[in-house]
Structures are given as C-alpha cells and as structure tokens.
mmCIF file of all heavy atoms in Angstrom:
data_model
loop_
_atom_site.group_PDB
_atom_site.id
_atom_site.type_symbol
_atom_site.label_atom_id
_atom_site.label_comp_id
_atom_site.label_asym_id
_atom_site.label_seq_id
_atom_site.Cartn_x
_atom_site.Cartn_y
_atom_site.Cartn_z
ATOM 1 N N GLU A 1 -6.279 -13.844 -6.464
ATOM 2 C CA GLU A 1 -6.760 -13.918 -5.088
ATOM 3 C C GLU A 1 -5.843 -13.138 -4.147
ATOM 4 O O GLU A 1 -6.309 -12.453 -3.233
ATOM 5 C CB GLU A 1 -6.881 -15.372 -4.646
ATOM 6 C CG GLU A 1 -8.010 -16.104 -5.354
ATOM 7 C CD GLU A 1 -8.030 -17.601 -5.098
ATOM 8 O OE1 GLU A 1 -7.169 -18.099 -4.326
ATOM 9 O OE2 GLU A 1 -8.907 -18.272 -5.667
ATOM 10 N N ASN A 2 -4.538 -13.193 -4.395
ATOM 11 C CA ASN A 2 -3.587 -12.455 -3.575
ATOM 12 C C ASN A 2 -3.793 -10.950 -3.722
ATOM 13 O O ASN A 2 -3.774 -10.219 -2.729
ATOM 14 C CB ASN A 2 -2.154 -12.844 -3.922
ATOM 15 C CG ASN A 2 -1.152 -12.118 -3.061
ATOM 16 O OD1 ASN A 2 -0.491 -11.198 -3.525
ATOM 17 N ND2 ASN A 2 -1.049 -12.517 -1.806
ATOM 18 N N VAL A 3 -3.983 -10.483 -4.935
ATOM 19 C CA VAL A 3 -4.231 -9.051 -5.169
ATOM 20 C C VAL A 3 -5.483 -8.617 -4.421
ATOM 21 O O VAL A 3 -5.495 -7.570 -3.749
ATOM 22 C CB VAL A 3 -4.358 -8.748 -6.682
ATOM 23 C CG1 VAL A 3 -4.938 -7.363 -6.927
ATOM 24 C CG2 VAL A 3 -3.006 -8.890 -7.363
ATOM 25 N N LEU A 4 -6.537 -9.402 -4.507
ATOM 26 C CA LEU A 4 -7.780 -9.054 -3.809
ATOM 27 C C LEU A 4 -7.583 -9.064 -2.295
ATOM 28 O O LEU A 4 -8.113 -8.193 -1.587
ATOM 29 C CB LEU A 4 -8.900 -9.996 -4.226
ATOM 30 C CG LEU A 4 -9.312 -9.898 -5.704
ATOM 31 C CD1 LEU A 4 -10.343 -10.971 -6.045
ATOM 32 C CD2 LEU A 4 -9.819 -8.520 -6.054
ATOM 33 N N ASP A 5 -6.799 -10.019 -1.791
ATOM 34 C CA ASP A 5 -6.495 -10.064 -0.356
ATOM 35 C C ASP A 5 -5.707 -8.820 0.076
ATOM 36 O O ASP A 5 -5.970 -8.243 1.137
ATOM 37 C CB ASP A 5 -5.698 -11.324 0.000
ATOM 38 C CG ASP A 5 -6.529 -12.594 -0.050
ATOM 39 O OD1 ASP A 5 -7.781 -12.500 -0.054
ATOM 40 O OD2 ASP A 5 -5.923 -13.694 -0.110
ATOM 41 N N VAL A 6 -4.736 -8.416 -0.740
ATOM 42 C CA VAL A 6 -3.939 -7.228 -0.418
ATOM 43 C C VAL A 6 -4.826 -5.982 -0.408
ATOM 44 O O VAL A 6 -4.728 -5.141 0.501
ATOM 45 C CB VAL A 6 -2.761 -7.075 -1.409
ATOM 46 C CG1 VAL A 6 -2.102 -5.713 -1.282
ATOM 47 C CG2 VAL A 6 -1.743 -8.193 -1.197
ATOM 48 N N LEU A 7 -5.702 -5.858 -1.404
ATOM 49 C CA LEU A 7 -6.612 -4.715 -1.435
ATOM 50 C C LEU A 7 -7.536 -4.714 -0.221
ATOM 51 O O LEU A 7 -7.736 -3.685 0.432
ATOM 52 C CB LEU A 7 -7.438 -4.708 -2.728
ATOM 53 C CG LEU A 7 -6.708 -4.257 -3.982
ATOM 54 C CD1 LEU A 7 -7.560 -4.543 -5.222
ATOM 55 C CD2 LEU A 7 -6.350 -2.789 -3.913
ATOM 56 N N ARG A 8 -8.094 -5.878 0.083
ATOM 57 C CA ARG A 8 -8.988 -5.978 1.238
ATOM 58 C C ARG A 8 -8.256 -5.631 2.536
ATOM 59 O O ARG A 8 -8.783 -4.919 3.393
ATOM 60 C CB ARG A 8 -9.583 -7.393 1.323
ATOM 61 C CG ARG A 8 -10.506 -7.613 2.496
ATOM 62 C CD ARG A 8 -11.662 -6.651 2.430
ATOM 63 N NE ARG A 8 -12.374 -6.624 3.682
ATOM 64 C CZ ARG A 8 -13.663 -6.406 3.780
ATOM 65 N NH1 ARG A 8 -14.374 -6.182 2.710
ATOM 66 N NH2 ARG A 8 -14.234 -6.371 4.941
ATOM 67 N N GLY A 9 -7.034 -6.110 2.676
ATOM 68 C CA GLY A 9 -6.242 -5.777 3.855
ATOM 69 C C GLY A 9 -5.977 -4.286 3.961
ATOM 70 O O GLY A 9 -6.027 -3.707 5.052
ATOM 71 N N GLY A 10 -5.717 -3.653 2.827
ATOM 72 C CA GLY A 10 -5.496 -2.213 2.811
ATOM 73 C C GLY A 10 -6.754 -1.436 3.164
ATOM 74 O O GLY A 10 -6.693 -0.412 3.853
ATOM 75 N N ILE A 11 -7.895 -1.920 2.691
ATOM 76 C CA ILE A 11 -9.173 -1.292 3.048
ATOM 77 C C ILE A 11 -9.395 -1.408 4.546
ATOM 78 O O ILE A 11 -9.709 -0.420 5.228
ATOM 79 C CB ILE A 11 -10.339 -1.933 2.253
ATOM 80 C CG1 ILE A 11 -10.228 -1.601 0.770
ATOM 81 C CG2 ILE A 11 -11.693 -1.482 2.820
ATOM 82 C CD1 ILE A 11 -11.149 -2.410 -0.125
ATOM 83 N N ASP A 12 -9.219 -2.620 5.082
ATOM 84 C CA ASP A 12 -9.413 -2.839 6.518
ATOM 85 C C ASP A 12 -8.466 -1.985 7.350
ATOM 86 O O ASP A 12 -8.877 -1.378 8.350
ATOM 87 C CB ASP A 12 -9.230 -4.314 6.868
ATOM 88 C CG ASP A 12 -10.341 -5.203 6.313
ATOM 89 O OD1 ASP A 12 -11.409 -4.662 5.923
ATOM 90 O OD2 ASP A 12 -10.141 -6.430 6.267
ATOM 91 N N SER A 13 -7.195 -1.914 6.960
ATOM 92 C CA SER A 13 -6.212 -1.116 7.703
ATOM 93 C C SER A 13 -6.560 0.366 7.670
ATOM 94 O O SER A 13 -6.433 1.062 8.679
ATOM 95 C CB SER A 13 -4.813 -1.310 7.116
ATOM 96 O OG SER A 13 -4.373 -2.621 7.293
ATOM 97 N N THR A 14 -6.998 0.850 6.527
ATOM 98 C CA THR A 14 -7.360 2.262 6.404
ATOM 99 C C THR A 14 -8.578 2.572 7.254
ATOM 100 O O THR A 14 -8.611 3.596 7.952
ATOM 101 C CB THR A 14 -7.602 2.634 4.927
ATOM 102 O OG1 THR A 14 -6.437 2.289 4.161
ATOM 103 C CG2 THR A 14 -7.896 4.110 4.774
ATOM 104 N N LEU A 15 -9.578 1.706 7.198
ATOM 105 C CA LEU A 15 -10.767 1.911 8.033
ATOM 106 C C LEU A 15 -10.400 1.905 9.512
ATOM 107 O O LEU A 15 -10.892 2.736 10.295
ATOM 108 C CB LEU A 15 -11.826 0.850 7.737
ATOM 109 C CG LEU A 15 -12.510 0.945 6.371
ATOM 110 C CD1 LEU A 15 -13.397 -0.269 6.140
ATOM 111 C CD2 LEU A 15 -13.310 2.233 6.245
ATOM 112 N N LEU A 16 -9.541 0.989 9.904
ATOM 113 C CA LEU A 16 -9.096 0.923 11.292
ATOM 114 C C LEU A 16 -8.395 2.217 11.685
ATOM 115 O O LEU A 16 -8.660 2.786 12.753
ATOM 116 C CB LEU A 16 -8.176 -0.283 11.490
ATOM 117 C CG LEU A 16 -7.645 -0.517 12.899
ATOM 118 C CD1 LEU A 16 -8.797 -0.835 13.857
ATOM 119 C CD2 LEU A 16 -6.631 -1.648 12.892
ATOM 120 N N GLY A 17 -7.507 2.705 10.815
ATOM 121 C CA GLY A 17 -6.787 3.941 11.091
ATOM 122 C C GLY A 17 -7.704 5.149 11.201
ATOM 123 O O GLY A 17 -7.419 6.105 11.927
ATOM 124 N N LEU A 18 -8.811 5.119 10.488
ATOM 125 C CA LEU A 18 -9.790 6.209 10.546
ATOM 126 C C LEU A 18 -10.785 6.040 11.687
ATOM 127 O O LEU A 18 -11.607 6.922 11.936
ATOM 128 C CB LEU A 18 -10.564 6.295 9.219
ATOM 129 C CG LEU A 18 -9.779 6.771 8.010
ATOM 130 C CD1 LEU A 18 -10.602 6.564 6.733
ATOM 131 C CD2 LEU A 18 -9.378 8.231 8.166
ATOM 132 N N GLY A 19 -10.744 4.884 12.346
ATOM 133 C CA GLY A 19 -11.687 4.620 13.425
ATOM 134 C C GLY A 19 -13.082 4.319 12.925
ATOM 135 O O GLY A 19 -14.078 4.583 13.609
ATOM 136 N N LYS A 20 -13.177 3.717 11.742
ATOM 137 C CA LYS A 20 -14.476 3.393 11.134
ATOM 138 C C LYS A 20 -14.695 1.886 11.169
ATOM 139 O O LYS A 20 -13.782 1.102 10.937
ATOM 140 C CB LYS A 20 -14.533 3.868 9.676
ATOM 141 C CG LYS A 20 -14.177 5.324 9.460
ATOM 142 C CD LYS A 20 -15.234 6.250 10.016
ATOM 143 C CE LYS A 20 -14.848 7.697 9.757
ATOM 144 N NZ LYS A 20 -15.829 8.631 10.230
ATOM 145 N N ALA A 21 -15.941 1.503 11.419
ATOM 146 C CA ALA A 21 -16.280 0.083 11.455
ATOM 147 C C ALA A 21 -16.530 -0.486 10.067
ATOM 148 O O ALA A 21 -16.435 -1.689 9.864
ATOM 149 C CB ALA A 21 -17.518 -0.138 12.327
ATOM 150 N N GLY A 22 -16.855 0.360 9.103
ATOM 151 C CA GLY A 22 -17.134 -0.109 7.750
ATOM 152 C C GLY A 22 -17.180 1.058 6.784
ATOM 153 O O GLY A 22 -17.199 2.236 7.196
ATOM 154 N N VAL A 23 -17.235 0.746 5.493
ATOM 155 C CA VAL A 23 -17.213 1.801 4.473
ATOM 156 C C VAL A 23 -18.464 2.682 4.530
ATOM 157 O O VAL A 23 -18.427 3.833 4.093
ATOM 158 C CB VAL A 23 -17.016 1.217 3.058
ATOM 159 C CG1 VAL A 23 -15.645 0.560 2.931
ATOM 160 C CG2 VAL A 23 -18.128 0.264 2.672
ATOM 161 N N GLY A 24 -19.550 2.182 5.083
ATOM 162 C CA GLY A 24 -20.772 2.968 5.206
ATOM 163 C C GLY A 24 -20.632 4.162 6.135
ATOM 164 O O GLY A 24 -21.447 5.074 6.099
ATOM 165 N N GLU A 25 -19.593 4.165 6.953
ATOM 166 C CA GLU A 25 -19.359 5.277 7.874
ATOM 167 C C GLU A 25 -18.472 6.366 7.280
ATOM 168 O O GLU A 25 -18.233 7.387 7.919
ATOM 169 C CB GLU A 25 -18.718 4.752 9.161
ATOM 170 C CG GLU A 25 -19.602 3.833 9.955
ATOM 171 C CD GLU A 25 -18.918 3.346 11.235
ATOM 172 O OE1 GLU A 25 -17.832 3.850 11.588
ATOM 173 O OE2 GLU A 25 -19.484 2.451 11.878
ATOM 174 N N LEU A 26 -17.978 6.167 6.084
ATOM 175 C CA LEU A 26 -17.060 7.132 5.478
ATOM 176 C C LEU A 26 -17.785 8.396 5.029
ATOM 177 O O LEU A 26 -18.946 8.351 4.635
ATOM 178 C CB LEU A 26 -16.355 6.501 4.272
ATOM 179 C CG LEU A 26 -15.394 5.363 4.579
ATOM 180 C CD1 LEU A 26 -14.982 4.647 3.303
ATOM 181 C CD2 LEU A 26 -14.176 5.887 5.332
ATOM 182 N N SER A 27 -17.061 9.504 5.049
ATOM 183 C CA SER A 27 -17.576 10.768 4.515
ATOM 184 C C SER A 27 -16.406 11.532 3.901
ATOM 185 O O SER A 27 -15.239 11.179 4.092
ATOM 186 C CB SER A 27 -18.229 11.612 5.611
ATOM 187 O OG SER A 27 -17.237 12.202 6.438
ATOM 188 N N ARG A 28 -16.716 12.590 3.208
ATOM 189 C CA ARG A 28 -15.661 13.397 2.592
ATOM 190 C C ARG A 28 -14.706 13.986 3.620
ATOM 191 O O ARG A 28 -13.562 14.288 3.299
ATOM 192 C CB ARG A 28 -16.280 14.517 1.755
ATOM 193 C CG ARG A 28 -16.910 13.984 0.497
ATOM 194 C CD ARG A 28 -17.342 15.090 -0.408
ATOM 195 N NE ARG A 28 -18.027 14.504 -1.557
ATOM 196 C CZ ARG A 28 -18.679 15.197 -2.445
ATOM 197 N NH1 ARG A 28 -18.760 16.509 -2.348
ATOM 198 N NH2 ARG A 28 -19.265 14.582 -3.455
ATOM 199 N N ASP A 29 -15.168 14.156 4.825
ATOM 200 C CA ASP A 29 -14.301 14.687 5.877
ATOM 201 C C ASP A 29 -13.141 13.746 6.198
ATOM 202 O O ASP A 29 -12.167 14.160 6.830
ATOM 203 C CB ASP A 29 -15.109 14.946 7.156
ATOM 204 C CG ASP A 29 -16.112 16.075 6.993
ATOM 205 O OD1 ASP A 29 -15.897 16.947 6.119
ATOM 206 O OD2 ASP A 29 -17.107 16.081 7.739
ATOM 207 N N ASP A 30 -13.232 12.498 5.765
ATOM 208 C CA ASP A 30 -12.173 11.534 6.010
ATOM 209 C C ASP A 30 -11.022 11.660 5.019
ATOM 210 O O ASP A 30 -9.989 10.990 5.184
ATOM 211 C CB ASP A 30 -12.726 10.101 5.964
ATOM 212 C CG ASP A 30 -13.709 9.837 7.087
ATOM 213 O OD1 ASP A 30 -13.419 10.246 8.229
ATOM 214 O OD2 ASP A 30 -14.773 9.252 6.815
ATOM 215 N N VAL A 31 -11.166 12.487 3.999
ATOM 216 C CA VAL A 31 -10.121 12.687 2.999
ATOM 217 C C VAL A 31 -9.599 14.111 3.148
ATOM 218 O O VAL A 31 -10.343 15.071 2.961
ATOM 219 C CB VAL A 31 -10.655 12.465 1.563
ATOM 220 C CG1 VAL A 31 -9.541 12.636 0.542
ATOM 221 C CG2 VAL A 31 -11.290 11.088 1.437
ATOM 222 N N VAL A 32 -8.334 14.233 3.493
ATOM 223 C CA VAL A 32 -7.740 15.547 3.711
ATOM 224 C C VAL A 32 -6.824 15.871 2.531
ATOM 225 O O VAL A 32 -5.814 15.185 2.315
ATOM 226 C CB VAL A 32 -6.944 15.586 5.036
ATOM 227 C CG1 VAL A 32 -6.313 16.956 5.249
ATOM 228 C CG2 VAL A 32 -7.848 15.197 6.201
ATOM 229 N N VAL A 33 -7.210 16.880 1.774
ATOM 230 C CA VAL A 33 -6.425 17.334 0.624
ATOM 231 C C VAL A 33 -6.503 18.857 0.564
ATOM 232 O O VAL A 33 -7.427 19.459 1.121
ATOM 233 C CB VAL A 33 -6.939 16.733 -0.704
ATOM 234 C CG1 VAL A 33 -6.749 15.231 -0.736
ATOM 235 C CG2 VAL A 33 -8.380 17.107 -0.953
ATOM 236 N N PRO A 34 -5.575 19.502 -0.124
ATOM 237 C CA PRO A 34 -5.675 20.958 -0.287
ATOM 238 C C PRO A 34 -6.916 21.317 -1.097
ATOM 239 O O PRO A 34 -7.354 20.533 -1.958
ATOM 240 C CB PRO A 34 -4.410 21.331 -1.057
ATOM 241 C CG PRO A 34 -3.581 20.116 -1.165
ATOM 242 C CD PRO A 34 -4.400 18.937 -0.750
ATOM 243 N N PRO A 35 -7.511 22.482 -0.845
ATOM 244 C CA PRO A 35 -8.748 22.864 -1.551
ATOM 245 C C PRO A 35 -8.615 22.832 -3.078
ATOM 246 O O PRO A 35 -9.559 22.504 -3.775
ATOM 247 C CB PRO A 35 -9.016 24.294 -1.075
ATOM 248 C CG PRO A 35 -8.220 24.460 0.164
ATOM 249 C CD PRO A 35 -7.087 23.486 0.106
ATOM 250 N N GLU A 36 -7.456 23.150 -3.620
ATOM 251 C CA GLU A 36 -7.296 23.187 -5.082
ATOM 252 C C GLU A 36 -7.083 21.798 -5.689
ATOM 253 O O GLU A 36 -6.943 21.665 -6.907
ATOM 254 C CB GLU A 36 -6.129 24.119 -5.471
ATOM 255 C CG GLU A 36 -4.761 23.653 -5.009
ATOM 256 C CD GLU A 36 -4.416 24.056 -3.572
ATOM 257 O OE1 GLU A 36 -5.246 24.674 -2.871
ATOM 258 O OE2 GLU A 36 -3.300 23.728 -3.144
ATOM 259 N N PHE A 37 -7.123 20.760 -4.880
ATOM 260 C CA PHE A 37 -6.928 19.392 -5.375
ATOM 261 C C PHE A 37 -8.053 18.979 -6.308
ATOM 262 O O PHE A 37 -7.829 18.354 -7.336
ATOM 263 C CB PHE A 37 -6.843 18.426 -4.188
ATOM 264 C CG PHE A 37 -6.728 16.980 -4.589
ATOM 265 C CD1 PHE A 37 -5.499 16.447 -4.940
ATOM 266 C CD2 PHE A 37 -7.850 16.151 -4.622
ATOM 267 C CE1 PHE A 37 -5.381 15.118 -5.318
ATOM 268 C CE2 PHE A 37 -7.741 14.826 -4.996
ATOM 269 C CZ PHE A 37 -6.508 14.303 -5.344
#
C-alpha cells in the first residue's frame, strides 16, 4: 500500500508540475528528450 501511495503521489506531483488535471490531458509534447532517444 505504501509503494502504491508513493507512486500515486509521484503521478499527482508530476501532473501538477505539468499543469495537467489528469492523465487524459497528457501528450508526447509533455516529454522532453533528445531526438535520438
């Protein structure tokens, strides 16, 4: 349960940092990596 809580907290924090209300708003533009990645 603790592991799941930590993962959920990390998901929520990341969404907050991206300015997204939920995972349904995510797009590839939210992931910044070099083209050769």
Side-chain angles (χ1 to χ4, degrees):
E1 291 171 2
N2 181 254
V3 166
L4 295 175
D5 288 344
V6 168
L7 284 170
R8 179 59 194 212
I11 292 168
D12 291 344
S13 294
T14 305
L15 290 173
L16 181 64
L18 291 170
K20 307 290 181 178
V23 295
E25 295 180 9
L26 293 169
S27 75
R28 288 188 184 171
D29 293 335
D30 295 316
V31 182
V32 179
V33 295
E36 65 275 2
F37 176 82

